[in-house]
Amino acid sequence: MLINRYGWLTVFFALLTAVLQAADGLPLAVTPCTRPPKLDGALDDPAWQDAAQIAGLYLENTSKAAPETTVWLTRDNQWLYLGFQCLNSNMAHVAQTVFKHDDIYPNFYANESVEIYLKPDAAKDRYYWFVLSAANVGMEQRLQKTPVSKQEVAWSAPWRRLTRIRPDGWTAEIAIPLYALECDDLSGAQINLVRNFRQVMLDQMGAKQGEQTVMSTLQPGTPDRRYTHDFQKFAAIAGLGGFRPEQPFAPKIAAAEAAGLQESDGNYFYDVNIKLMRFTGIKGTALVEVVENTGDGENIKTSKLVQMDGIMPPGYSGPYQLDLTLKTPAGELRERQVKVKLVNPDNRSLLAETTIDDLSALQLIKKIFVGRSYYTSEQNAEIVLELGLPEALRGKAALVVAVNRAAISKFQDLTTEMTLQIPTAKLAEGDNNTTVRLMAGGKELAVKELNIRRLPPRPGFEVKADFIRGALLRDDRPVFPVGMYVAHWSTNFPFTVDAAPDDDEALFKYLAGIGFNTLAHAHICKEPGGLEAAAASAGRFAELADKYGMNVVEWNSPMPKWPGYKPGDSRPPITQPLGERTAYQRQWYESLEPTLIAVAKELRERRNVLAYYNVDEPNLNDSDIKIKVAEWYYETVLKIDPYRPQFLLYSMNIPHGDNWTRWGQVLGFDIYPRPFTGRIFSEPGWYTAYYAYKLRERCRQDHKVMFFVPLSNYLDLGRTPISMDKAHLLCQAYTAVIY
C-alpha cells in the first residue's frame, strides 16, 4: 500500500491528536472496524491499521513520556478490541509469578502486564478492571465506590485475550464484550490504561541482579492523580455511543481435566474431559482443540467441531452446558503441557482457552515424598508415592530404590498408591541421598531424587514433622499447638523483651489457665552482640512456659537491614542491584550469627521447645533478600539443633516455587481482617476460610505441616482501627481450627 507524503502527515497528526487528547482529558476516538481482528496475539491483522492508536503512556505520577507501550483500539457492536505492543529489551530475564486466572496474590504488578479500566457511565461510579500478564494470565473484577465500596473478585466476563512473547517484549490482543459493561448507552464511557513494565537490572557480565516494576498510565500524573483507580486518571472515550451493545456468541471452558494414561494395542492415550458453557444465549459453532507442548512448541493433538445450539432437556432451566471427552494420543511417556482451546472454525481466532494445571494424572510418578522430617529409632523410613502407570504396565514394572548410590530395595506388584518401607538400618546418620527409579523392560521410565535424614535418638527432645498426617510429633506423639504470640511478655511497664522479673509468672499462669499450650516468643535478633543476654532471655521464657506446661516457638530470626538504616526509618525504594543487596545482607547476617547460635544452643537443651520461627513474612518487602536470609537462618539453626522443625510464616500468599517453602517444615499464614471496612476483609470467618484453604492446598502440594495465625482483636491503629468483637474473634478462631 502506498501513502503519499500528505497521507503520512495525516497519520502523524492522527497519532499526535490521540496522545494529546488523552493528556488533556479529551475523548479518545474509537472508530468501528469493518471486520473484527483475528485474535492470535500477533497484531498483524488489517483491522489494527485503521484502529485508533495511542503511541505512548506516561510514567506514573509524572508528565514524562513512556514510549515502550503502544495501544490500538477499535470496536464493533459487540466487542471493544485492544492491541498492545509492550517493548522490553530484557524480556528473556523477566520472571513470571502469576500462573492462575484471578489469582490476586501474588499480585499482577510484579509481572509484565497491562491493565484496562472501563467506566461505562460518567454519572455512576461502577467500573470494570481487566488485567493481563505477558504469560496470558488474566484477572477481571467489577468495582464501585459508593454508597458502599465493593470489589467483586468473583465477577466474571467472557473477555478474550492472547499474548505472544518476543525477544524485545510482548504483544497482546484483547476483546472485551461491551454488553458485560451493563450499560445500554456507552456514549459517556471512560477508560484508563496501565502498563506494568518490569525493569531488569543486569551487571556488566549480563547476569540478572534483580527487577522492579515501573508503571505508566494513560494520563500524566499530578499530586492528586496517583491512584490508578482514581477517576481523575480516566479519559473519555468517544465512538462507543449511538448503538446498544449486542450479545455475542461467548463460549466458556468451565472445566477441563486430563484423566489417567491408558494403553491400547501398545499405544498410550489419555482422555481430556471438558465442560463447555455459554455466557450468553447466542448459539454458535466452535472448534475444540487439545494442544500439547513437550518442549518443541504447541501441537494440536486432537480436535472436534461442536455445535453449541442451546438445545437442553425438557424442564432444564440452568445455563447451557455441553460435556465432551476427547481421546488424546500420548506419544512418548514424558512431561508435557496441555491446553484446551476454543477457536473460530472460520478464521481460527481464539474464543477461549485454559491450561490444565493439574497434570499429575499423566505423570508416571505423580507424587512422591518422605514421610517424616527425620528418623531416629523407627524400624523403617517411609516413602509415599502415587503412580500414574496404565494398569497393563503395572505388572511389568518395578521400583528400584538406591541410597547413597547403593541399590537396597526392589518393589514389584505395583499399585496406584504405595508406601515404600526403607529399613533405617540401611541409612547412614545424617543426610541420605535416595533415588527412586521406575523401570520396565530394562528401560528407565521415570526417576525421582529424595533426601532421607537419620539422626541419633534423643528422647525428650525430638519434634518431627509427619508429612503424611500433617502433624508435629513430640517423641512420636501428636502435638496440636493452640496459643498466641507474646511480643511483650513483661507485666511491668514499659514492656520489654530483654528480661523479665520473677513476678511475671502471673502472665504465664494466666495464659496456661486459658487453655493455651504454646507460646511464640518474639525476641527478634536486631543487633550484633549481647549473646549472653539473648540466650538468657530465651532460656528464661522457655523455663517459665515449661513450668506451666506450655510449648515454645522461638522467634529469634533476624530481620533484613538496608544500607543507612536507623531505628524508626521507613524502608526506602529498592535501588541497589540484587548482588549488592545480597552481599550487604550477608555481612549483616554474619554479624548477627553468633547471637543466633547462642540462642539455638540454649534452646536445644529445653524439652518444651516446639519449633524455631524463621524469617517473618518473606514474601513482603524485598522478598528476594528475605528468602535468602531465611535460607541462611535455616542452615545455621539446623547445624545446632536438627531435632526441631522450623516455621515459615507468610502474609496471605506463598510465591510460586519450592525455594519459598524448602527452608521450613511448617508453613503458616497470618491474615488481617478489618471489620466494617467492606469486601472480604470484614468477614473474619469467610476471610479465614479462604486463606486457610489456600494454605492447606499449598501444604499438601509441598508436603508440609500447616499452622494458621488468625489475628487477635486488632493489629495496630493504622491497619485495624476498629478491633473485632467477641463474635468476630470466635468465628475466626473456630474457622481456623476446623481447617
Side-chain angles (χ1 to χ4, degrees), residues 284-297:
T285 302
L287 185 64
V288 186
E289 298 177 340
V290 176
V291 180
E292 277 190 2
N293 188 340
T294 56
D296 55 353

Side-chain angles (χ1 to χ4, degrees), residues 76-79 177-180 243-249 280 282:
D76 55 25
N77 286 1
Q78 297 177 338
W79 304 90
L178 296 174
Y179 90 94
F243 66 96
R244 180 175 181 174
E246 301 172 3
Q247 287 194 355
F249 171 53
T280 68
I282 307 301

Side-chain angles (χ1 to χ4, degrees), residues 658-704:
D658 65 355
N659 185 54
W660 296 91
T661 60
R662 70 173 66 176
W663 313 119
Q665 295 82 18
V666 183
L667 305 180
F669 273 177
D670 57 355
I671 61 170
Y672 307 100
R674 296 191 282 276
F676 318 114
T677 60
R679 300 186 290 176
I680 190 174
F681 298 102
S682 66
E683 298 292 342
W686 179 22
Y687 194 63
T688 302
Y690 174 74
Y691 285 105
Y693 168 79
K694 287 190 66 174
L695 177 61
R696 183 181 65 182
E697 293 306 300
R698 184 59 180 267
C699 287
R700 287 175 174 173
Q701 172 190 306
D702 289 7
H703 315 300
K704 302 290 180 179

Side-chain angles (χ1 to χ4, degrees), residues 20-328:
L20 291 177
Q21 285 176 337
D24 293 341
L26 299 176
L28 294 171
V30 178
T31 55
C33 54
T34 56
R35 183 173 181 174
K38 173 185 174 181
L39 299 184
D40 58 7
L43 284 178
D44 57 0
D45 194 273
W48 299 118
Q49 295 181 12
D50 299 323
Q53 185 187 66
I54 302 172
L57 303 178
Y58 293 91
L59 288 176
E60 183 185 19
N61 301 332
T62 75
S63 298
K64 185 176 180 180
E68 297 87 0
T69 309
T70 305
V71 189
W72 290 266
L73 301 97
T74 187
R75 61 95 176 162
D76 55 25
N77 286 1
Q78 297 177 338
W79 304 90
L80 173 64
Y81 301 100
L82 300 100
F84 286 86
Q85 177 177 279
C86 302
L87 301 179
N88 190 332
S89 59
N90 290 319
M91 194 66 196
H93 299 280
V94 172
Q96 179 185 354
T97 65
V98 174
F99 295 84
K100 293 183 179 180
H101 174 256
D102 267 355
D103 194 0
I104 306 173
Y105 301 102
N107 64 54
F108 278 77
Y109 324 120
N111 291 254
E112 267 284 347
S113 56
V114 295
E115 304 175 51
I116 304 162
Y117 300 79
L118 286 169
K119 186 172 180 289
D121 191 334
K124 298 179 180 179
D125 67 0
R126 185 184 74 252
Y127 66 107
Y128 302 80
W129 183 28
F130 302 86
V131 188
L132 181 65
S133 79
N136 204 41
V137 182
M139 178 189 80
E140 69 277 353
Q141 294 182 12
R142 177 171 57 191
L143 305 97
Q144 73 177 43
K145 298 183 178 181
T146 58
V148 177
S149 175
K150 293 175 65 176
Q151 182 178 0
E152 298 179 68
V153 177
W155 179 79
S156 181
W159 63 300
R160 300 171 181 171
R161 62 269 185 189
L162 196 64
T163 63
R164 289 195 181 189
I165 296 179
R166 305 176 183 275
D168 63 345
W170 58 289
T171 56
E173 292 182 322
I174 298 171
I176 295 176
L178 296 174
Y179 90 94
L181 303 182
E182 302 170 291
C183 186
D184 291 339
D185 182 5
L186 294 170
S187 58
Q190 296 175 316
I191 191 171
N192 190 17
L193 302 171
V194 174
R195 161 82 184 281
N196 297 305
F197 173 89
R198 290 298 284 176
Q199 184 180 63
V200 177
M201 292 162 277
L202 304 176
D203 63 16
Q204 293 180 343
M205 303 300 294
K208 182 177 176 179
Q209 300 297 302
E211 61 179 277
Q212 62 185 7
T213 297
V214 177
M215 182 184 290
S216 53
T217 59
L218 179 61
Q219 298 210 79
T222 61
D224 60 344
R225 290 184 178 183
R226 295 183 178 180
Y227 189 40
T228 56
H229 291 257
D230 189 335
F231 292 152
Q232 293 187 72
K233 300 279 281 187
F234 289 37
I237 178 169
L240 295 181
F243 66 96
R244 180 175 181 174
E246 301 172 3
Q247 287 194 355
F249 171 53
K252 170 186 179 181
I253 304 171
E257 64 175 6
L261 287 166
Q262 303 175 57
E263 185 263 347
S264 177
D265 299 327
N267 297 314
Y268 297 105
F269 68 93
Y270 59 95
D271 288 336
V272 178
N273 301 316
I274 305 167
K275 185 187 298 293
L276 301 180
M277 300 181 72
R278 287 199 317 249
F279 277 91
T280 68
I282 307 301
K283 304 175 183 179
T285 302
L287 185 64
V288 186
E289 298 177 340
V290 176
V291 180
E292 277 190 2
N293 188 340
T294 56
D296 55 353
E298 293 188 348
N299 296 286
I300 301 172
K301 303 298 291 185
T302 187
S303 62
K304 182 177 182 179
L305 193 68
V306 296
Q307 303 290 333
M308 301 184 71
D309 55 15
I311 300 175
M312 300 303 294
Y316 182 80
S317 60
Y320 173 81
Q321 179 175 312
L322 177 65
D323 297 323
L324 66 152
T325 297
L326 296 186
K327 184 177 179 179
T328 306

Side-chain angles (χ1 to χ4, degrees), residues 125 140 144 243 247 295 315 322 330 334 346 390 447 449 451 479 481 488 515 517 538 597 599 618 636 676 695:
D125 67 0
E140 69 277 353
Q144 73 177 43
F243 66 96
Q247 287 194 355
L322 177 65
R334 56 177 175 168
D346 297 328
V447 60
E449 301 285 341
N451 178 58
V479 179
H488 305 291
N517 64 17
I597 292 173
V599 171
T636 296
F676 318 114
L695 177 61

